[in-house]
Structure formats: C-alpha cells, structure tokens
Amino acid sequence: MAHSPCPNDTFAFHAWSHGLVPGAPEIDVTFADVDITNGMAERGEFDILKVSYAVLPYVLDEWTLLPCGGALGRGCGPLVLTCEPGTADDLAGKTVAVPSERSTAYLLFRLWAAASVGPLPSAVGVPPAKPGGGPPAGIGKIEVLPFDEIMPAVRDGHVDAGLVIHEARFTYQNYGLHKLADMGEHWEATTGLPIPLGAIIAKRSLGEARLHDLAAAARQSVLMAWDEPEASRSYVLDHAQEMDPAVADQHIGLYVNEFTAALGDDGYAAVRGLLTRAAAEGLVPPLGPHALEF
C-alpha cells in the first residue's frame, strides 16, 4: 500500500499497518505524496493506493474505489493564497502553483476558475483562449510544485498565487499570506455536497473476496483509531514532517470523519457529482454508469 505521510492517513491506517486489526490482510506501507501515488495508479503499481479522486476516470478499468478510508468532508477544501488580499479577477494572466495536475484540488480549482476567473490552460504553460467580451482572460500559467513548497514560493514571489491543501489551511497566516478563495466553499455552495479529496483504490485483479477484506480492514482501522486516538500519536508525529502536534490534531479532526469510515450516499453523490461535472466541462474522461460500484 502507498499513501501520504499526512496525519489523516497515518492516523486512519495506524492499526492496519501495525497488524492490530484482527484478521486483516497484512500490508507493507510506502509513504508517497499524492502526485506520486496518482502516477503509481496510472502505471498499475502497488495493490492499494491513496489517490486524488480526480485521477479515477483514468484508472477505474484496473482499479476499484473502496467505500472507506478516503478523505471527504465539509469546510475542508483547498485554498488559493496570495501575498496581498484580492479577488478572483486579480488572477487573470498570473502564475498559480498547484500540487498536481491530476489532483482533486486542481480539478476543484479549474471548476471554480471557469466560473470566477475565466478559461484555464489545458496544460502547464499553455496560454488560455481569450474570447472577446467574455470573462477575464484566465490564468496565465500553472506551475506544479510539491505541496509543502507552495506557500514559500508565494511568500517569496516566485509565483503569484498558490493552491494549497492539507495542513496549509491552518498555517498559511504564518507565511504572511491571504486567502483569496476557498474551493470547498464554492463547491458546497453550488452543489450542497461534501468535498471529495482523496480516495482509496485497490487492484480489481485481487478478486472480489480480497477486495471486501481490504475494505473491511480499512474501515476497522479507522474505527480503532477513533477508539484509541493516543495509540497512533507517536506514529503520526514521526511522519508529520515536523508539524506542530496541535496542527496535526486539527488536520486529523478535519479530514478523518464519517466519510472516512464509509462513503455513504452523500459521499458517492459527491464523487459522482465532481467527476460528472468535470467531464461535462471536458476536464476528465466521462465515467461509465457503473464505474464507482464496489
């Protein structure tokens, strides 16, 4: 299995990765940023991965979405940060750093920007179309950076704005930055659905019985984490990239929630809504009618 070293993942999967879930299949965990795991999914590497929901349309022939273990929620969306307060119009023609072109954060950003800024480039560095009399010209350039490098890049003037995820929601003020827009607020206001961020997927070739075992193990690991939150504390902090313990706790409280234990009807509706809407805008391939079924 490969997943991020972020507190939500290490907290949720501590029991499973340490062999504490009774009867669960054993897993060998590799830590990798989501941009890396997205690529792993497209190359068919590993058996279980934590990936961006945005990558699902490209990989669901080989992988299946597990109904638990992922990251969805409310009030937890990616943010666009700038050095000075501003509005969406201020991004016209500017350079924006993003954590991955296949990240859910970037997909949510593209949907927001299409409504708020104007057309976006379809690839890094490709200028957008400039329709006469339309919305603002759009983002000038997209630059992909590791998520932990984005806030310093904005602060130091290397990029005009940054799309941030994870614990940056709690720490951006420490960099002297300002929130220009909240992608989650826009998503929730326009859909009423929770914000889909990260998914747990597993190889279809493992077979139906093993896939159900994996889903059960993921769910039980989450429940055990809630039952004994201190059991994982040292493991979480060891991998939290020098994160303040209070920030790690905020991170877990926001991103490990009822949708982590079970996607449920609202969770599936959010995922389907995001990918259907993005497909309608030509941002991702369309999903088949049963693509998300487990």
Side-chain angles (χ1 to χ4, degrees):
M1 181 180 190
H3 64 67
S4 83
C6 293
N8 61 307
D9 287 341
T10 50
F11 176 79
F13 300 124
H14 168 263
W16 190 9
S17 63
H18 287 76
L20 302 177
V21 179
E26 292 184 14
I27 55 170
D28 179 17
V29 174
T30 294
F31 295 111
D33 184 69
V34 69
D35 196 30
I36 302 298
T37 59
N38 286 345
M40 289 176 171
E42 295 190 81
R43 294 188 298 271
E45 299 172 2
F46 286 64
D47 299 306
I48 316 159
L49 295 172
K50 174 76 173 289
V51 299
S52 301
Y53 275 109
V55 85
L56 293 191
Y58 303 93
V59 303
L60 284 178
D61 286 346
E62 187 173 349
W63 300 84
T64 190
L65 171 64
L66 297 189
C68 49
L72 297 88
R74 296 187 182 278
C76 62
L79 306 178
V80 176
L81 304 179
T82 53
C83 282
E84 301 293 338
T87 67
D89 289 350
D90 296 327
L91 293 183
K94 300 296 177 63
T95 297
V96 180
V98 303
S100 168
E101 288 183 276
R102 288 279 172 87
S103 66
T104 314
Y106 185 47
L107 192 58
L108 288 166
F109 174 72
R110 296 184 80 182
L111 291 171
W112 168 80
S116 306
V117 184
L120 281 172
S122 58
V124 172
V126 176
K130 297 179 172 61
I139 308 302
K141 182 180 178 182
I142 297 298
E143 185 169 327
V144 176
L145 293 175
F147 78 89
D148 58 336
E149 296 181 13
I150 291 177
M151 289 192 292
V154 178
R155 177 197 61 198
D156 297 340
H158 300 308
V159 295
D160 299 302
L163 178 69
V164 299
I165 54 177
H166 302 323
E167 65 277 0
R169 169 174 285 274
F170 312 115
T171 61
Y172 69 87
Q173 297 96 333
N174 299 341
Y175 292 79
L177 301 180
H178 297 267
K179 180 178 72 173
L180 185 140
D182 185 324
M183 307 299 93
E185 286 180 1
H186 176 261
W187 172 258
E188 291 187 72
T190 55
T191 69
L193 295 168
I195 307 154
L197 298 169
I200 299 295
I201 59 175
K203 284 276 187 68
R204 293 184 184 274
S205 59
L206 294 171
E208 184 175 348
R210 178 48 61 98
L211 290 171
H212 280 275
D213 289 344
L214 296 176
R219 174 176 167 77
Q220 187 60 31
S221 187
V222 173
L223 298 179
M224 292 175 69
W226 283 333
D227 286 344
E228 297 186 61
E230 288 302 313
S232 63
R233 189 159 185 81
S234 62
Y235 180 65
V236 168
L237 294 179
D238 283 348
H239 296 286
Q241 300 176 339
E242 301 182 3
M243 190 186 302
D244 183 280
V247 174
D249 289 342
Q250 288 179 289
H251 184 114
I252 291 167
L254 187 61
Y255 295 108
V256 185
N257 52 45
E258 69 270 25
F259 298 108
T260 314
L263 274 173
D265 291 343
D266 284 352
Y268 275 108
V271 177
R272 194 174 295 109
L274 172 68
L275 299 180
T276 300
R277 191 172 179 180
E281 296 288 337
L283 303 179
V284 299
L287 287 177
H290 306 293
L292 299 179
E293 291 182 2
F294 177 68

